[in-house]
Structure formats: structure tokens, C-alpha cells
Amino acid sequence: MNEERVLATYLIETPYSLEYAAAVMAGEQSTGTFVAVPGETAFIKETYGAKVVRITELEPALTPSLPGVKPPKEEANLVFRRGEVVLSFPYHNFGPSIPNLLATVAGNLYELREFSGLRLIDLEVPVQFTEKYLGPQFGIEGTRRLTAVNGRPLIGTIVKPSIGLALDDLRGLVRELALAGIDFIKDDELNGNPPYVPLKDRVKAVMEEIERAADKTGKKVMYAFNITGDIDELRENHDAVVKAGGNCVMVGINSIGFAGVSYLRQFAEVPIHGHRNQWGAMTRCPALGMEFRVYQKLSRLAGVDHLHTNGLNNKFFESNESVTRSVQDCLTPMFRGNDTVMPVLSSGQWAGTAIESYRSMKTVDVLHLAGGGIMAHPGGVAAGVTSMKQGWEAALGGQSLAEYAMTHAELAQAIEKFGRP
Amino acid sequence: MNEERVLATYLIETPYSLEYAAAVMAGEQSTGTFVAVPGETAFIKETYGAKVVRITELEPALTPSLPGVKPPKEEANLVFRRGEVVLSFPYHNFGPSIPNLLATVAGNLYELREFSGLRLIDLEVPVQFTEKYLGPQFGIEGTRRLTAVNGRPLIGTIVKPSIGLALDDLRGLVRELALAGIDFIKDDELNGNPPYVPLKDRVKAVMEEIERAADKTGKKVMYAFNITGDIDELRENHDAVVKAGGNCVMVGINSIGFAGVSYLRQFAEVPIHGHRNQWGAMTRCPALGMEFRVYQKLSRLAGVDHLHTNGLNNKFFESNESVTRSVQDCLTPMFRGNDTVMPVLSSGQWAGTAIESYRSMKTVDVLHLAGGGIMAHPGGVAAGVTSMKQGWEAALGGQSLAEYAMTHAELAQAIEKFGRP
């Protein structure tokens, strides 16, 4: 790791030579502009200029992936060259600041007309950069400590319907889930602080139910309250959760920005559950935006403890390979010894996805969320929770789903309801 | 305007029927999930469900614009239907909160595999939503008042080289620009608070030069200091600028989020100059992300006074038609009588772009920035400023560039240097 420079890796597509295109990126994002200016001395270029570290040529394309590219005049049969380019930026151009780093590594360069594709795929920052940011406070170990769950994934759910549940119905649902032995419950990302049931009323009702159930079962459910809101509200909402005995807060990372997350991290007393809604807009076009590898690094630096990764066979566009890679990224130490975060498997999950998840991810350090997969279980919510645990028992015991279901009714019911044809 | 619902307009592309696809969006972003759950009652659906207001069919596509779409099984020759869809969401699902609104109108729906394209193109929120947010504090009128420029655009520049300029060189440059009668100077978006010259040192040096020049010329230049940083730094940096007599602060909107902007707006005593770096990642893929029309509304609600729109013939991918539309959007009142913001024309601008800008935009309410177009003027920086004013004199006087250049040497020099072949 270079201590003085940030390394940014891109996939690019351009009708120019890869060398020329990489030089344009380096110039635009450091000392250059569209014409030479008198003050851009050799000293400034050498001291503050970005450098092209490596270019790896890939298979070219015959049509541009993005509109607005301006090809060089001389060429008749255009080829859009593709390559992986590593640039290095002097750390002293921006210092330890995610917001200012973003303007450099992910700023105007997306708009450059020399490119028909530009995607940030990896990022490495010096240790001195990371010292400004607190990183995950609880992470996997702290989450396990708070929930007393070891040797298996945390099983969780998302309150459904996402929106509109009356307070009494929410109470009943939380009570049922807590008594059924669920580890974790979260609000939906759509449910923040709506006028029809303000967050503070939800916190009070939910925590009463959780404490009451804990008195009976000896197990206190972790509940991630969606405290997403404007900056001032983050502290107010966080404090309301903590004061009521709550043990987790959730935020939409893209709704409050990395700046909002690192602000929250400074005073957070409980784990921060990072939801990534809006992420699709940043990543679904393969020639634009950024890879999850970069996103999860920035989210971890800013201080989330849990991070959504999708689950296998999800209801979204993402492939299973991509989900598995995301999980592995979250579990890879980055800077400090213990800065991994708990990947959150979610979307279209049910008991049957446990075996496949364990086979491809090879870890129990995940938070496995089933919304419909628990709520819509034919035997009811408690049976839904039990079926999820059974799915993981089968996975960890090396048994097939069908085999384990023969002696476990809730799992059998889940297969009948959710099993794919 | 509906007082109880938010209207969101999308361009969609899907292998399903437009009706089915619109219903999926509405369900996913309000009360539904991937299976029916017991709590989703008719009452909840009616009271909290999103509704499909209108579907307009457009020309279909034969290939999907985005990967990951899951076509319906029965079809052999797939057609990807395109349409404009308007959804309405009950206001009480999220209340007056940009962060929570975003989770609904621009959240997980980008990832849905029923779509091969999904782009948010317009957004209307009820007045009660806008009452939470302060909107532009200075806008066009306040910026004109502070700079005493009327009847013509504000002429400005961006300090170049973007990064690396020593404090003494910056002093000299600001002095020269101020004495030449420039209206506005801004930091580059790459230059925030770098360790080699911290923001506070820059503020002190720049403001000394500006005040000294004002003593001579009677005109105080507006300087937009790039105060982008983490949340706590926003107030600290803002206060340092104001304390030194500064009259504008700049932020990277996407670096601090709309939440960061509205936080800054609460205590800002000077205009907020909104830079949109990273915007390309949100908009360049035509089948994903959002249109500037939405982005500028959210930026204005959050409270920027100036907003970057690109300029004509810019160095980026954006077309002149798109730039002109963006400028018009910024100049269209939204909610309150006086909530327009000053569009900032920038990127590849010089004296010669004035006439064309005036012809297509039909307004003088723009801040026209030339970086290289002033810094690299063959007659020097002062001549660069003069040439920009001359360009606008020609535009407003209805003269051609060539004609006006015959009697105006600085304009003639600019044409020779920057004029396109």
C-alpha cells in the first residue's frame, strides 16, 4: 500500500487509444483543464498530477455503451477500446475526506466525452486516510455479542407490509416474532418517520414488546429502527432509540450520503445497519458508476456495521455470483485488523436459500433476512422463523433440504410454499 | 398540484406489459413484497398503496438497455416495451423528508428484474412537503444584489490549475482577476481542504486580495470557496469564510448529499454555490438514474442558490439541447414565487460561447464561468475577463462575434485562440 497516493481502478471504453484516454482522465481529475494554462508548471504537474499506473487492454466493442462520446475525427470504422486502467492520485490533493476524495475519483470524469464507458471498480486509500474515519464500531463480533448468536447466521426479518401497519398490528407482529426466537427485525427502507405513525411512537411500542418478550425468553431481539432523515434528525432519532433501550439503527446510506453515515458514526451507541437502496442507479449500467467493491469500502470507512448485499436468487437484477462476491468483499479485512462488516442477505429469501448460500459463501457470518419468507409462511410467522433456522441446520449439518424437511414440518411447509418449480 | 400525493414520472423499458410493470413498481415501492403477506389488507392497500396514474406507450426496443432483466417465460421473440409511467405515492408514507422520499421514488426499484430500463424523469411534491425545506436563500436576485451586476450575466472563472497552486500564486491570480473587474471566482471542485494549503489559509489570502482590490475598484468580487467536507466541517468551514468577509460557499452536492446541503442551508449566511460533480454517474446512461429536471428540484428544495448546468459546446458528453433545457428548468419557479436558482454555465466556455448561449437560452440570468477561456487568454487574465464581457456585449447588442471583434482586440484574440475551426 502506497502511503502517499490513492489508487483508483477503472473499466474504460473509448474510441481513442487507451493511453490517450487514461491521460485525459489523469489530467482532468488533477491539474489540467481543456487548454494549457500558464500556471500549470512542470513542478505542479509533477507534485499534484495524477499518474497512470497500469493499463490492461480488454476485448473491444463495436458500439458505444454510453451516448455522447466524441470520436477522433480521422477514424472511419470506429472501435471502442476497452481496458482496465489504474490511476494514482497524490493524497495531499484532498487529504482525509471522503466527500473530497469522491470529487477526484468519481467526479466529472463520468461526463468526459472521450469515453463511451467509465466505471470505478476498485479503490485503495492510504492508512493515514483511514485514520480520520472511525470505521465499524460493532461489526460482526459486536453484533454477535449483542444478540448472543454464535456458530450460525443471525436470522432476521423485515416488517411487512413495508408501510401502513397500525401500531397495534406492529406490536402483535413483533411480539410473535420475538417469542418465536427471531434474532433480528428491521423496518423497511420505505418506512422512516411517516406522519401516520411517527418513528418515536414506533420505537416506544416496539421496544416495549421486545423487552416484554425478553423477560419471558431471556433473549433480546435486535431491532434496526429506520432513522433515516435529515442531518439534525439523525441524532434526535438515534437518541430516541437508545433511550428506549433499542440496540440498532438503520439508515439508507445513499439517502444521507457517506457524510451522513460518518456523522452518525461519531455518536452512535448501537450498530449501524446500512441499507443500500438507490444503489441500483449507481451500478446497474455496466459501463457507468461503480462496483460494490468500492461502495462497501467507503461504507465501512464511514462506519456501517451491517451492509446489504442482496441474497441468492433475489427478486432483483443481480446475479448470484455478484452477490457472493459482495459478501466476500464485506468479510475481507480492509485496513485495521477488525474492520469487516456483517453482510445482509435480503430480497426473496426463505428457508430454502440457506443451503445454497452456505455452499457459495462458505461462511456463517451473515445476517439472513426473510421478509415474505417468514411473514407469508403457511404455518404463521413463528413457523417461518423456525423454518429459517432449520434451513441453516440442514446447511451446517451437510444435509439436503429435502432430507431435513422429512423430519422438520416447518421447513417442509416452506418448501411447498416458496420452493421454485 | 395534488396536496396529498407525490407524483413521480418514469421512463421504463420492460419485456412485460407496461400495465403489469407499472403495477410491480407501485407494489414494490409501497405496501407489497414478492409474495402476498397476511397483513397487506385491502385497507392498507387503499390507504398506503402507490397508484398508477398514467401510462404512455413509446416505441419499443429489440434489445434490453440494461442487463439482469428476467423476461416472462412464455415469449419467444422478446420485445422490450417502453413507456412513460406516472405513479402517485401517498404523502403520509414518508412525510416531508428528502432522504425518505428518495427511498420511495428512487430506491430499490432500479434493481427490479422486471425492467431493462428505469429512469426518474420528473417529480412533483405537495406544498406541505416544501414547507419543511428552506429553498434558495439568495437565488438570482440575492446574488445580483451582492455583486451589483444587473442587466447582464455574471462573468466568472475557476481557479486554474485546479490543484497545486501555491498561496502566493493564488493571491496574484485573484488580485489580477479582481482588478480586471471580474464578478465571480470559484475554487475548483477538486480543491477542497488539501493538506498542502488548508482551506482556512486560502480563505485568508483570497479575502485579503479581494478586499484590497475592492478598496481600489469599489467592486467586491464574489468568491465561492469550496467548503465541501464532512458534516461537522461544513459549519466550521462556512463560519471561517463568513468571518473573513467571504460572500459565497461552494459544495459538491453529491459529495455531501441533499441532506448535507439542507443542513448547510439552515445556517448559511451567504449564497450556496452547488457543484454537481458525480452527476454523470447518475444520468449518463439513458435507461437508468434520473433527469436533471428532478435533480435540480431536489437541489433547490435543499437550498442551493447557484447550480451547475454545463455550458454550450462543453467538454463533456452533454448536448446543447440538454444544457439549454437544464438552464430553463433552473429558471422555472417551482413552489414559492421566488425559488429559482442561478444556472452556472461552465466547461469549455470562452467569450465566443456568449452569443450562442444568449440565442438559445434567451436570458441574462446566468453565471458564465470560463476557466481556461480566461486563464489561457493570449493577452493575459485581464484580457480574458474583458473578452468575456465583450462577448456578452455583442450578444446583447445583437451583433455578430466577428463584427464586434473588429473593434475589440481582446475578443479578437479570444477568437483566434479558442475559436473552433
Side-chain angles (χ1 to χ4, degrees), chain B residues 27-347:
Chain B
E28 176 69 22
Q29 294 309 107
S30 60
T31 62
T33 186
F34 77 108
V35 289
V37 296
E40 197 188 358
T41 59
F43 171 77
I44 284 187
K45 278 193 197 179
E46 176 58 30
T47 313
Y48 301 98
K51 286 184 180 140
V52 180
V53 176
R54 193 171 61 244
I55 298 176
T56 312
E57 193 155 0
L58 303 170
E59 284 295 306
L62 293 176
T63 53
S65 296
L66 295 174
V69 66
K70 193 200 171 196
K73 276 176 192 145
E74 63 272 20
E75 302 202 19
N77 291 316
L78 278 180
V79 168
F80 296 87
R81 297 178 182 86
R82 285 182 175 157
E84 192 179 296
V85 168
V86 182
L87 299 186
S88 89
F89 298 92
Y91 170 74
H92 61 202
N93 282 15
F94 34 75
S97 168
I98 294 176
N100 287 312
L101 173 69
L102 286 171
T104 294
V105 301
N108 277 350
L109 79 181
Y110 288 117
E111 300 191 37
L112 290 169
R113 63 183 176 181
E114 284 85 357
F115 297 86
S116 55
L118 196 150
R119 183 171 173 90
L120 180 61
I121 61 173
D122 204 357
L123 186 65
E124 288 182 46
V125 298
V127 171
Q128 54 180 324
F129 189 103
T130 72
E131 282 162 359
K132 159 90 176 296
Y133 290 97
L134 297 170
Q137 182 178 192
F138 292 89
I140 295 163
E141 194 186 301
T143 300
R144 289 200 176 282
R145 192 174 65 241
L146 287 175
T147 54
V149 175
N150 291 294
R152 63 166 176 84
L154 271 72
I155 303 299
T157 193
I158 307 128
V159 171
K160 299 282 175 188
S162 311
I163 197 96
L165 211 54
L167 218 41
D168 276 350
D169 294 330
L170 177 62
R171 274 184 183 273
L173 184 60
V174 170
R175 190 184 312 138
E176 200 177 350
L177 286 162
L179 293 175
I182 201 165
D183 305 316
F184 181 95
I185 308 174
K186 69 177 273 292
D187 287 327
D188 197 88
E189 85 276 5
L190 298 174
N191 193 8
N193 186 20
Y196 71 90
V197 177
L199 174 67
K200 277 171 197 165
D201 298 345
R202 195 162 82 237
V203 169
K204 184 170 178 294
V206 164
M207 288 316 300
E208 278 177 16
E209 295 300 331
I210 284 179
E211 298 288 8
R212 205 173 293 159
D215 288 344
K216 286 189 191 152
T217 63
K219 176 182 172 73
K220 184 169 173 176
V221 176
M222 180 174 277
Y223 191 106
F225 290 99
N226 183 4
I227 67 163
T228 303
D230 278 309
I231 297 298
D232 293 339
E233 296 163 347
L234 291 177
R235 186 186 282 266
E236 201 181 314
N237 292 349
H238 165 274
D239 291 353
V241 169
V242 170
K243 201 175 157 199
N247 48 15
C248 190
V249 293
M250 158 179 159
V251 287
I253 298 169
N254 306 312
S255 277
I256 66 170
F258 295 121
V261 174
S262 65
Y263 171 74
L264 170 62
R265 171 63 181 88
Q266 287 176 44
F267 54 82
E269 296 176 30
V270 293
I272 299 172
H273 184 88
H275 198 284
R276 66 176 195 179
N277 72 76
Q278 305 168 53
W279 166 241
M282 299 164 70
T283 204
R284 190 166 176 184
C285 175
L288 193 65
M290 61 171 74
E291 286 279 332
F292 186 76
R293 176 154 293 170
V294 179
Y295 183 74
Q296 58 92 20
K297 284 185 180 178
L298 294 170
S299 299
R300 286 160 67 178
L301 267 178
V304 302
D305 296 287
H306 311 155
L307 183 57
H308 279 243
T309 58
N310 262 340
L312 296 188
N313 309 323
N314 60 72
K315 62 186 173 186
F316 298 125
F317 80 99
E318 196 174 356
S319 71
N320 287 350
E321 293 68 33
S322 172
V323 171
T324 300
R325 195 163 57 240
S326 297
V327 168
Q328 285 159 350
D329 281 344
C330 289
L331 296 175
T332 304
M334 193 163 56
F335 308 109
R336 289 166 277 236
N338 196 15
D339 62 1
T340 57
V341 289
M342 188 158 252
V344 182
L345 312 184
S346 183
S347 172

